[in-house]
Amino acid sequence: MSSELIVFLVLAAVAVISGILMITRANPVNSALFLILNFLSLAGIYLTLHAQFVAIIQILVYAGAIMVLVLFVIMLLNLEDEERLRDTLTKRHYASMLLALVTLVLLVQVIGWDGAGSLAGMTEFAPNSVEIGTVEHIGSELFTRYVFPFELTSILLLAAMIGAVVLAKKRFP
Amino acid sequence: MIPIHYYLILSAVMFITGVVGVLTRRNAIIIFMCIELMLNSVNLTFVAFSSYLGNVDGQMFVFFVMAVAAAEAAVGLAIVIALFRNKQTVNINDVNILKW
């Protein structure tokens, strides 16, 4: 077993276990902290894929900005009745878990357990995988081929900002 | 080297974890975090294919997915705050005025 595989398996185990803990904790603060752990291990997995820029952005934007916003809202709402929200396992839960399990089996069946089929050749990174993940390369692509979607993103963020302010205002005009 | 289907199976498992969370939990904020988990698992698929095919387009899509996720986080949490102000709860079973 190569060292790369060991690193991947450890990070994958952390990601899966923290994801499962995230959806089973009763306290939303614990859930948010496990989700941050999941995002950090995902950033490590991006590094094993030679995607340095995406790994850094994952930590800065997701684990940093978005999760701080979520934690801020959890603290702001001060959910004292969270024990009442504790979910008991009902028939509906078992049905949804069964449904999800069937979907997982289908997905894995499509991907294939042994990497045969259409994924057969993909056991190695592409020779240029190191340089396409750098800030330099992503930046030059972003401001040449993807400049129009990039500018549209700024309009989207402006619209989201205005929408958030209007929604969270005390009284609608 | 690690074959690509390891990454894809990890992504599938994480996506299904998010789906189970959305289907079983009743706290709106936790459902919201489960959606973030699903977005991230899809990002993993994009980055894996990007590295194995030697094409930067997958990583560009991850960039835009993150921008949309940030916008979604801002608007979604504003909705949660507005909800809590009107109903004093984030339990989605208590919010059914659009249900008939």
Side-chain angles (χ1 to χ4, degrees):
Chain A
M1 198 184 277
S2 67
S3 59
E4 279 172 323
L5 188 58
I6 293 170
V7 170
F8 170 76
L9 288 178
V10 169
L11 287 170
V14 172
V16 170
I17 291 170
S18 61
I20 289 169
L21 285 172
M22 193 273 276
I23 65 166
T24 50
R25 294 305 93 187
N27 190 337
V29 177
N30 291 355
S31 284
L33 293 177
F34 278 119
L35 189 59
I36 292 174
L37 182 62
N38 181 287
F39 286 166
L40 292 178
S41 62
L42 212 55
I45 290 172
Y46 290 153
L47 281 181
T48 69
L49 283 165
H50 300 165
Q52 306 99 321
F53 180 68
V54 176
I56 294 298
I57 288 294
Q58 171 84 11
I59 293 176
L60 283 179
V61 173
Y62 265 117
I66 293 180
M67 289 317 292
V68 167
L69 195 63
V70 170
L71 275 172
F72 187 76
V73 170
I74 294 172
M75 304 288 185
L76 189 71
L77 297 186
N78 190 20
L79 305 170
E80 46 201 43
D81 59 341
E82 65 201 15
E83 287 302 313
R84 203 173 59 80
L85 277 174
R86 183 187 289 276
D87 299 81
T88 48
L89 285 173
T90 61
K91 212 178 282 176
R92 191 171 61 90
H93 288 119
Y94 291 117
S96 54
M97 279 175 202
L98 184 70
L99 189 72
L101 196 68
V102 170
T103 315
L104 179 64
V105 170
L106 276 174
L107 273 175
V108 173
Q109 205 63 36
V110 169
I111 295 163
W113 284 106
D114 49 359
S118 56
L119 301 175
M122 294 193 199
T123 52
E124 295 277 330
F125 290 138
N128 60 345
S129 69
V130 176
E131 63 253 32
I132 66 166
T134 57
V135 181
E136 182 189 1
H137 193 248
I138 287 187
S140 70
E141 284 284 316
L142 193 63
F143 292 115
T144 52
R145 279 173 61 216
Y146 284 91
V147 68
F148 185 61
F150 179 73
E151 295 296 338
L152 282 183
T153 305
S154 65
I155 297 173
L156 173 78
L157 288 173
L158 177 68
M161 203 161 73
I162 296 171
V165 170
V166 169
L167 278 170
K169 255 171 74 162
K170 196 139 204 164
R171 192 185 297 272
F172 287 102
Chain B
M1 288 303 294
I2 308 164
I4 192 172
H5 66 279
Y6 283 31
Y7 289 103
L8 300 184
I9 289 173
L10 171 64
S11 170
V13 170
M14 273 173 53
F15 188 86
I16 294 299
T17 311
V19 171
V20 172
V22 169
L23 289 176
T24 56
R25 297 307 300 259
R26 291 180 299 163
N27 188 330
I29 298 176
I30 291 181
I31 289 175
F32 185 80
M33 289 193 280
C34 291
I35 295 171
E36 299 286 333
L37 187 64
M38 288 194 275
L39 284 170
N40 267 277
S41 72
V42 176
N43 279 354
L44 177 59
T45 309
F46 272 131
V47 176
F49 273 113
S50 167
S51 289
Y52 281 86
L53 295 173
N55 191 334
V56 77
D57 292 350
Q59 294 185 25
M60 304 311 299
F61 266 86
V62 170
F63 188 81
F64 293 119
V65 168
M66 281 181 182
V68 172
E72 180 231 342
V75 175
L77 290 170
I79 291 173
V80 170
I81 288 177
L83 192 70
F84 191 80
R85 183 175 290 138
N86 287 321
K87 292 231 168 200
Q88 277 73 47
T89 182
V90 289
N91 186 341
I92 56 163
N93 285 355
D94 296 343
V95 185
N96 53 7
I97 53 172
L98 282 182
K99 203 152 108 184
W100 61 285

